[in-house]
Amino acid sequence: MYLSRLFLVGGAVLATVQARPQDTAVVTVSAPFSKPAVITLSSSVTGGGEEIPPDATYFSPTTTISLVTSQGSLVVPTVTSNQTRNSSISVSTSTTNVSSSTTLVSSTAAPAPTSTQPCNGYLEFCSRRYSNITHVCAHNSPFNVIGNVFSNQRLSVTAQLNDGIRVLQGQVHKGDGVLHFCHTKCEYIDAGPISLYLSDVTKWLKAHPNEVLTIIMGNSDNAPPTSYRDQIKQAGLDQFVYTPPKIPMGLDDWPTLSEMIASGKRAVIFLDYGANQASVPYILDQFSQLWETPFSPTNRSFPCHVDRPPNLNREKAGGRMYMANHNLNAQIKMDKLDVLLPAVAELPISNRVKGFASLGEMKNTCLNQWNRPPNFLLVDYFDVGGGSVFRVAAEANGVKYKGKCCTKIISASTRPSAPGAMIAALGVFVVAVMTLL
């Protein structure tokens, strides 16, 4: 006889789990817009969602470090300790000449251009600093294969950008000798070399000259930033990358969108772990300039305290940008099964403008706690709600939402699905961090 159990999230049935012999379990996941999805897990399924490399460290400069000198050299930090992810790293500064083909940003700001075209969709944004705007971030943007349990979106990156996404986030792993966008492991879902995805981003930037984008990459295997540089160049994105004048960039250090657009440097790239701006100055260290609320959240109240980097005090947090992680997950534990699934039944609630557990409420919680809204609102399946996530961002920015969302979903029968995926219905919102103990 099989052992079964129901799992509820917010009063709705998220999943039914049936334990079976031979270390397998059948998980039937309820979705709000289609028939349930059935997933069979075996002991070969391992891994986690948002991953922190075991040797990850946090770069915590004690002073502002200028990246540009009159000789065009870089002033780089020397790390004096290599502590674990739960500790801060103190640094001293030393001057080092670095040979680089990258054009460094001038330390003298040019006069702000006068814009007659909207910047990122709004004329009001043109005169605002990059650090003074709230944008919606597509969590794990590359993973959009309908029918694969490790997908977090269901639209292509081009469609995401057309609909209004201006921040793209994705998890990166090593595969076939180059870096791939993969979720947990490349055998679960592999969006290919990052250059393929970034090529689409480059094409979109060329076609939209008044747009500024942000790309946040999760360096799950702690690859050197030079590996990212090579694929960025291969994608042609290097012509658009923004190089900051110093480390770290505080709230008042960032240029306006007009200035970035006029310079042509309209792509800001962050790496969560392992960035080295001495060797690749345009791949920015994330956590010294952008902190996050708890990631892979399971708390429907969505607290807005600092989670990464650890031990960041309020004064320092108040001086840098931050991202609100609003991708709700639920943990399913039964027998040998320990699975973290997104709360798919809650998507119409978590993506809405108002109400408990909504994105709008989290925005307000953060605003009340920090006296400014988040810079980035990270969500799964941004299109659920028909543009509601963009309305939340517009409210945070003090503007009226003018966009049109969202792109019509392609039939699941015409989209590829990874081998072994057992979801066939359109609109099944299932993304898993699966660990079978």
Side-chain angles (χ1 to χ4, degrees), residues 171-176 178-182 186 190 192-194 231:
Q171 190 180 125
V172 179
H173 287 265
K174 296 176 182 177
D176 299 330
V178 296
L179 297 177
H180 284 225
F181 277 118
C182 299
C186 288
D190 186 349
I194 66 174
Q231 292 209 49

Side-chain angles (χ1 to χ4, degrees), residues 354-409:
K354 296 180 181 179
F356 178 71
S358 69
L359 181 63
E361 183 178 78
M362 185 179 192
K363 179 263 296 180
N364 291 335
T365 298
C366 292
L367 177 61
N368 293 334
Q369 187 169 335
W370 296 97
N371 297 317
R372 58 187 176 95
N375 297 89
F376 306 143
L377 302 170
L378 181 139
V379 298
D380 284 335
Y381 299 99
F382 76 91
D383 56 308
V384 175
S388 57
V389 295
F390 298 115
R391 292 184 179 87
V392 173
E395 285 186 1
N397 290 315
V399 298
K400 184 177 180 180
Y401 175 55
K402 300 177 181 179
K404 295 181 180 179
C405 185
C406 299
T407 300
K408 184 178 180 181
I409 306 300

Side-chain angles (χ1 to χ4, degrees), residues 72-397:
S73 60
L74 300 179
V75 180
V76 299
T78 301
V79 177
T80 58
S81 63
N82 187 25
Q83 298 175 338
T84 65
R85 60 176 292 265
N86 294 317
S87 304
S88 297
I89 301 173
S90 60
V91 300
S92 60
T93 59
S94 60
T95 302
T96 304
N97 292 326
V98 178
S99 175
S100 173
S101 59
T102 303
T103 301
L104 299 179
V105 175
S106 171
S107 59
T108 303
T114 301
S115 297
T116 58
Q117 297 295 322
C119 303
N120 282 22
Y122 297 88
L123 278 171
E124 296 93 331
F125 290 178
C126 295
S127 60
R128 292 191 192 179
R129 295 186 185 275
Y130 169 83
S131 55
N132 189 29
I133 303 172
T134 298
H135 283 124
V136 179
C137 174
H139 176 226
N140 277 333
S141 163
F143 311 133
N144 57 6
V145 178
I146 295 176
N148 188 297
V149 298
F150 286 92
S151 290
N152 291 83
Q153 306 296 333
R154 53 178 181 170
L155 295 172
S156 70
V157 64
T158 300
Q160 293 172 30
L161 295 171
N162 287 340
D163 283 342
I165 291 294
R166 293 296 176 268
V167 187
L168 305 166
Q169 187 270 345
Q171 190 180 125
V172 179
H173 287 265
K174 296 176 182 177
D176 299 330
V178 296
L179 297 177
H180 284 225
F181 277 118
C182 299
H183 195 177
T184 306
K185 291 185 178 182
C186 288
E187 51 261 43
Y188 298 164
I189 185 168
D190 186 349
I194 66 174
S195 60
L196 296 179
Y197 172 92
L198 295 179
S199 293
D200 289 337
V201 175
T202 300
K203 292 176 184 176
W204 193 91
L205 276 170
K206 288 180 178 178
H208 298 82
N210 270 59
E211 303 295 324
V212 176
L213 301 183
T214 303
I215 301 167
I216 304 172
M217 290 185 281
N219 193 12
S220 302
D221 292 338
N222 220 3
T226 50
S227 300
Y228 290 86
R229 178 196 62 197
D230 295 343
Q231 292 209 49
I232 288 169
K233 288 184 176 181
Q234 184 177 344
L237 187 60
D238 56 320
Q239 63 187 294
F240 293 113
V241 294
Y242 171 77
T243 302
K246 63 180 183 179
I247 310 172
M249 292 286 281
L251 287 176
D252 296 332
D253 297 325
W254 292 92
T256 65
L257 291 198
S258 281
E259 291 168 341
M260 298 177 77
I261 290 167
S263 71
K265 306 305 179 182
R266 303 183 284 118
V268 181
I269 300 177
F270 289 101
L271 195 64
D272 60 354
Y273 299 102
N276 182 349
Q277 291 182 244
S279 63
V280 188
Y282 60 75
I283 297 181
L284 281 61
D285 175 75
Q286 177 184 343
F287 293 117
S288 62
Q289 296 158 107
L290 171 71
W291 58 266
E292 292 186 4
T293 65
F295 69 99
S296 297
T298 57
N299 186 342
R300 296 176 74 237
S301 64
F302 291 103
C304 197
H305 60 261
V306 179
D307 185 56
R308 293 188 295 175
N311 306 318
L312 182 69
N313 64 43
R314 183 175 180 84
E315 180 181 1
K316 291 183 177 179
R320 65 184 71 171
M321 299 189 298
Y322 74 104
M323 179 162 66
N325 289 319
H326 195 79
N327 55 311
L328 184 64
N329 294 270
Q331 188 175 28
I332 298 176
K333 297 185 71 172
M334 177 180 172
D335 194 24
K336 295 182 179 181
L337 183 67
D338 189 352
V339 181
L340 189 66
L341 293 174
V344 293
E346 291 286 287
L347 278 169
I349 295 174
S350 59
N351 281 7
R352 66 183 178 177
V353 177
K354 296 180 181 179
F356 178 71
S358 69
L359 181 63
E361 183 178 78
M362 185 179 192
K363 179 263 296 180
N364 291 335
T365 298
C366 292
L367 177 61
N368 293 334
Q369 187 169 335
W370 296 97
N371 297 317
R372 58 187 176 95
N375 297 89
F376 306 143
L377 302 170
L378 181 139
V379 298
D380 284 335
Y381 299 99
F382 76 91
D383 56 308
V384 175
S388 57
V389 295
F390 298 115
R391 292 184 179 87
V392 173
E395 285 186 1
N397 290 315

Side-chain angles (χ1 to χ4, degrees), residues 38-53:
V38 181
I39 312 165
T40 300
L41 307 181
S42 71
S43 57
S44 62
V45 179
T46 60
E50 301 308 307
E51 296 179 312
I52 299 176

